Amino acid sequence: MDLQSYMAVPPGIGMEENFFSLDDILLSHERLPCRTESAFPRLGFLEKSSETRDIPEGTKMEMPLWLAKGLYERKRRVLSVELPKVYREGWRTVFGADPIVVDLHKMGPYYYGLGSQMLHFDSPENPEIANTILQTFIGRFRRTMDSSQNAYNEDTSALVERLDCLERSLFKAGQSGLNSFQLWEKGRSSHLTASSLVINYRKRKIADLQA
Amino acid sequence: ISFCLNEAKTEGKSELIPSIKFRHSCLLRNQRCIAAYLYDRLLRIRALRWEYGSVLPTAIRFHMCAEEMEWFNQYKKSLATYMRSLGGEEGLDITQDMKPPKSLYIQVRCLKDHGEFEIDDGTVILLKKNSQHFLPRWKCEQLIRQGVLEHVIS
């Protein structure tokens, strides 16, 4: 059985992020196209093209999610965020038609996470976006679960390739359960093993010596 | 931050407010990244107590800062206090028997030289690389986890 003494902080559920979650930090690093609705004086140095001292109103720039969330206000004085292509009408119909076929990893590795975060920006399409994300997940879940429970001791890279990060962690959990069960069936669940931390540490030390 | 915003409003420079918020968001972001990194380190250090035991090898201790070492010692103490409070008079070592035991004695092979090892009845065993021994399970568990011994099952 895989002894788990180290459990990383999991990503948040739905529209909430977990402050300490490394996955959420990486997710909120994704860039979104935005338009400034008010001027940002003295921050002109951030805009690579302009030579002005300020960022004027109406500038189109790309901001990471964390910055967009920090600046966004409901009264809409400061920032307006554009929906990335994947969450717009066109792609939504594609997902509605056949969710299983889409390569979610290419569509932004954090499809579900980023989609949930986009709901913070009060777009009029929010209910449709939320519904599409949900239906896509439901459509793909069965396939992910089945493949994770039936791929034993083989190269899973082809199966995992088209999954986004949330689905990949589900896949990993499924695999871990499957492996533990197989170990138990073989009667090896009482076989004491060296801790994985020790093994990894030793591998790294030998690599250092060889360097 | 509220102090800055108030000052901006009173001095009639309220157009600076978006820039103040911008800079504040950046500061919060840096703070979050640092905090998450340090917290993750703590989670791994905590895992070391369970995986490796209460004495950490010098190489790992070298990579820890003084505060982390202090945290580790406190965690050890809390864990020890808790373990003593379980199971009657002597307490219960919950870091033992992580996998369900099937027998009292197990066959082990030594993976590297570890010197002399004394078991409860007084006999001393010399742990030399590749030697095999039949030893009580509870004495070996920690050495197996540390990678010194290997559990052999026929």
Side-chain angles (χ1 to χ4, degrees):
Chain A
M1 224 186 83
D2 220 15
L3 290 175
Q4 294 203 310
S5 335
Y6 165 70
M7 274 159 286
V9 180
I13 313 268
M15 282 174 67
E16 290 307 311
E17 288 185 50
N18 271 342
F19 184 79
F20 285 123
S21 160
L22 298 173
D23 281 312
D24 275 340
I25 291 180
L26 286 175
L27 152 68
S28 52
H29 211 69
E30 295 271 337
R31 295 185 154 236
L32 301 169
C34 305
R35 205 185 94 100
T36 59
E37 301 289 344
S38 81
F40 287 89
R42 306 202 203 149
L43 290 180
F45 63 93
L46 291 172
E47 253 305 88
K48 15 141 196 140
S49 50
S50 70
E51 330 79 3
T52 59
R53 212 173 69 118
D54 315 327
I55 301 180
E57 186 179 321
T59 323
K60 287 207 171 221
M61 37 191 305
E62 277 206 338
M63 287 193 179
L65 177 73
W66 56 266
L67 189 54
K69 270 176 84 171
L71 290 175
Y72 183 77
E73 265 175 62
R74 195 147 277 193
K75 296 162 207 158
R76 205 81 68 79
R77 281 187 308 135
V78 194
L79 199 71
S80 66
V81 183
E82 257 178 57
L83 270 188
K85 290 193 296 266
V86 222
Y87 304 105
R88 274 189 233 157
E89 188 70 50
W91 272 104
R92 291 211 296 266
T93 35
V94 173
F95 285 118
D98 188 356
I100 302 183
V101 166
V102 188
D103 187 339
L104 272 193
H105 190 76
K106 213 173 61 177
M107 299 284 123
Y110 293 100
Y111 175 73
Y112 299 109
L114 190 59
S116 311
Q117 292 304 310
M118 289 308 298
L119 300 174
H120 279 292
F121 298 118
D122 300 327
S123 144
E125 304 173 51
N126 268 2
E128 284 90 32
I129 299 173
N131 196 42
T132 309
I133 299 177
L134 182 61
Q135 294 305 321
T136 312
F137 181 73
I138 293 174
R140 289 169 67 99
F141 177 65
R142 183 78 192 279
R143 182 67 91 77
T144 315
M145 189 178 89
D146 273 345
S147 63
S148 80
Q149 288 298 302
N150 288 301
Y152 183 60
N153 238 353
E154 50 187 66
D155 180 19
T156 52
S157 51
L159 295 164
V160 167
E161 208 172 26
R162 306 173 127 237
L163 302 179
D164 99 319
C165 291
L166 173 65
E167 291 168 341
R168 280 187 190 185
S169 63
L170 286 175
F171 186 88
K172 216 166 84 157
Q175 286 273 285
S176 151
L178 177 67
N179 288 329
S180 307
F181 177 70
Q182 291 298 331
L183 271 185
W184 176 79
E185 264 210 326
K186 293 183 194 165
R188 298 197 61 163
S189 57
S190 49
H191 181 220
L192 298 169
T193 48
S195 93
S196 46
L197 294 173
V198 172
I199 298 178
N200 288 336
Y201 192 70
R202 198 161 295 154
K203 279 191 205 153
R204 207 175 300 135
K205 259 174 68 179
I206 294 182
D208 279 333
L209 287 174
Q210 289 173 340
Chain B
I1 172 82
S2 44
F3 176 75
C4 279
L5 290 174
N6 278 332
E7 219 184 87
K9 282 187 199 148
T10 50
E11 289 189 17
K13 292 208 186 121
S14 55
E15 77 273 6
L16 286 180
I17 291 182
S19 302
I20 296 176
K21 287 190 72 177
F22 194 106
R23 185 164 172 273
H24 190 65
S25 301
C26 297
L27 292 174
L28 286 178
R29 176 67 173 183
N30 286 342
Q31 187 188 51
R32 180 182 182 187
C33 293
I34 295 172
Y37 171 71
L38 292 175
Y39 189 70
D40 193 70
R41 279 177 71 104
L42 280 187
L43 289 179
R44 288 172 193 267
I45 292 172
R46 181 176 74 175
L48 283 176
R49 169 65 186 89
W50 289 89
E51 297 265 333
Y52 205 84
S54 46
V55 181
L56 299 177
T58 36
I60 293 187
R61 261 184 294 169
F62 182 68
H63 291 296
M64 288 166 56
C65 73
E67 287 83 2
E68 287 170 341
M69 207 54 227
E70 175 64 30
W71 187 90
F72 183 75
N73 290 330
Q74 296 281 29
Y75 181 75
K76 260 198 314 190
K77 255 187 250 175
S78 303
L79 184 62
T81 314
Y82 176 67
M83 294 200 287
R84 244 174 301 146
S85 71
L86 307 167
E89 281 270 324
E90 334 140 346
L92 177 68
D93 188 355
I94 49 181
T95 60
Q96 291 284 346
D97 291 330
M98 298 285 234
K99 295 187 179 172
K102 294 287 181 187
S103 57
L104 281 179
Y105 279 70
I106 52 174
Q107 190 81 263
V108 291
R109 183 186 301 127
C110 208
L111 294 173
K112 52 183 188 180
D113 287 329
H114 193 73
E116 297 191 334
F117 187 54
E118 184 173 334
I119 40 179
D120 295 332
D121 61 4
T123 37
V124 176
I125 312 252
L126 179 63
L127 293 176
K128 208 164 144 51
K129 186 166 176 180
N130 285 327
S131 62
Q132 269 189 252
H133 310 276
F134 192 59
L135 295 173
R137 184 198 170 86
W138 59 93
K139 298 251 24 146
C140 309
E141 189 161 353
Q142 214 186 43
L143 287 176
I144 295 178
R145 270 218 290 278
Q146 291 173 1
V148 176
L149 298 176
E150 182 188 19
H151 186 185
V152 180
I153 32 180
S154 40

